[in-house]
């Protein structure tokens, strides 16, 4: 195939795997660009690269290898040394932290129910990070009750907030000199 054919041929159809690989690369690039470009410029850059990859007659693997690491490519778009917070990464981290908290809490509650059932008692009480948890078992029912003033709301909020602030690198928010 000659170079002339490559120049005049439109972008070839991509397989699902190639599209997913390109989308994954562009998502990672978007995350890295978040710290160096404002939203509108970031979206325009990703859209332009998406179109360039779609029009490229080469296979996706070669195209992505030529672009290099998403982090290094994003650094090339940096206008100055000031970095912006990564808000979307912070939101994902906060959601993941809440998910882990509730999984641990529900595992604790399940363990209490198993203990009540195996000991043959009707009720057990324990504390999970200032939250009083009671598990009970009767002939036709089992259940869990947790009571706390505001701790059941404050603790997950604090965990999510800390995860958000750390993952988003919120210390980058400052007024420019």
């Amino acid at each position: 195939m000659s170079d002339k054919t490559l120049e005049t041929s439109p972008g070839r159809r991509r397989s699902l795997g190639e599209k997913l690989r390109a989308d994954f690369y562009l998502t990672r690039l978007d995350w890295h660009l978040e710290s160096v470009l404002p939203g509108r410029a970031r979206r325009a850059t990703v859209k332009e690269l998406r179109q360039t990859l779609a029009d490229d007659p080469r296979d996706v693997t070669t195209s992505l290898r030529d672009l290099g690491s998403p982090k290094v490519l994003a650094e090339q778009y940096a206008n100055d040394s000031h970095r912006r917070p990564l808000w979307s990464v912070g939101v994902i981290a906060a959601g993941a932290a809440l998910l882990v908290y509730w999984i641990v809490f529900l595992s604790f509650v399940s363990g209490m129910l198993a203990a009540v059932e195996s000991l043959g008692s009707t009720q057990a009480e324990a504390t999970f990070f200032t939250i009083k948890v009671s598990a009970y078992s009767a002939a036709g029912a089992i259940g869990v009750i947790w009571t706390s003033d505001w701790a059941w709301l404050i603790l997950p909020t604090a965990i999510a907030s800390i995860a958000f602030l750390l993952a988003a690198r919120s210390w980058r928010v400052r007024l420019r000199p």
Side-chain angles (χ1 to χ4, degrees):
M1 189 148 85
S2 70
D3 290 335
K4 184 129 179 116
T5 310
L6 284 176
E7 291 174 5
T8 59
S9 66
R12 64 183 185 87
R13 292 186 63 86
R14 304 283 186 198
S15 70
L16 178 62
E18 289 178 322
K19 288 179 185 178
L20 289 175
R21 222 175 8 253
D23 282 344
F24 182 65
Y25 179 89
L26 291 172
T27 300
R28 291 184 308 158
L29 176 66
D30 189 24
W31 285 358
H32 290 293
L33 283 174
E34 186 176 5
S35 69
V36 296
L37 292 176
R40 184 173 287 148
R42 186 180 78 242
R43 287 187 296 274
T45 301
V46 171
K47 183 178 180 181
E48 178 184 328
L49 278 172
R50 185 179 310 280
Q51 188 60 45
T52 301
L53 284 173
D55 293 342
D56 194 345
R58 302 174 297 165
D59 64 301
V60 171
T61 304
T62 304
S63 300
L64 294 179
R65 187 178 24 211
D66 287 348
L67 286 174
S69 162
K71 184 175 183 176
V72 173
L73 182 59
E75 290 296 324
Q76 293 174 5
Y77 284 97
N79 296 347
D80 55 12
S81 63
H82 178 70
R83 297 289 184 246
R84 304 163 59 86
L86 304 170
W87 301 123
S88 61
V89 175
V91 169
I92 292 168
L98 277 178
L99 180 65
V100 168
Y101 169 79
W102 284 108
I103 288 172
V104 169
F105 179 74
L106 293 175
S107 297
F108 177 80
V109 169
S110 297
M112 284 189 62
L113 284 172
V116 167
E117 206 47 48
S118 68
L119 293 175
S121 64
T122 58
Q123 186 172 353
E125 293 183 7
T127 303
F128 180 82
F129 293 119
T130 72
I131 300 170
K132 294 178 180 137
V133 181
S134 298
Y136 64 89
S137 176
I142 61 170
V144 176
I145 300 169
W146 67 79
T147 56
S148 184
D149 294 334
W150 285 92
W152 69 272
L153 182 60
I154 292 172
L155 185 63
T157 303
I159 289 170
S161 297
I162 291 169
F164 173 80
L165 293 172
L166 290 176
R169 299 176 185 170
S170 60
W171 56 87
R172 291 179 175 176
V173 174
R174 60 180 178 257
L175 298 176
R176 289 186 179 203

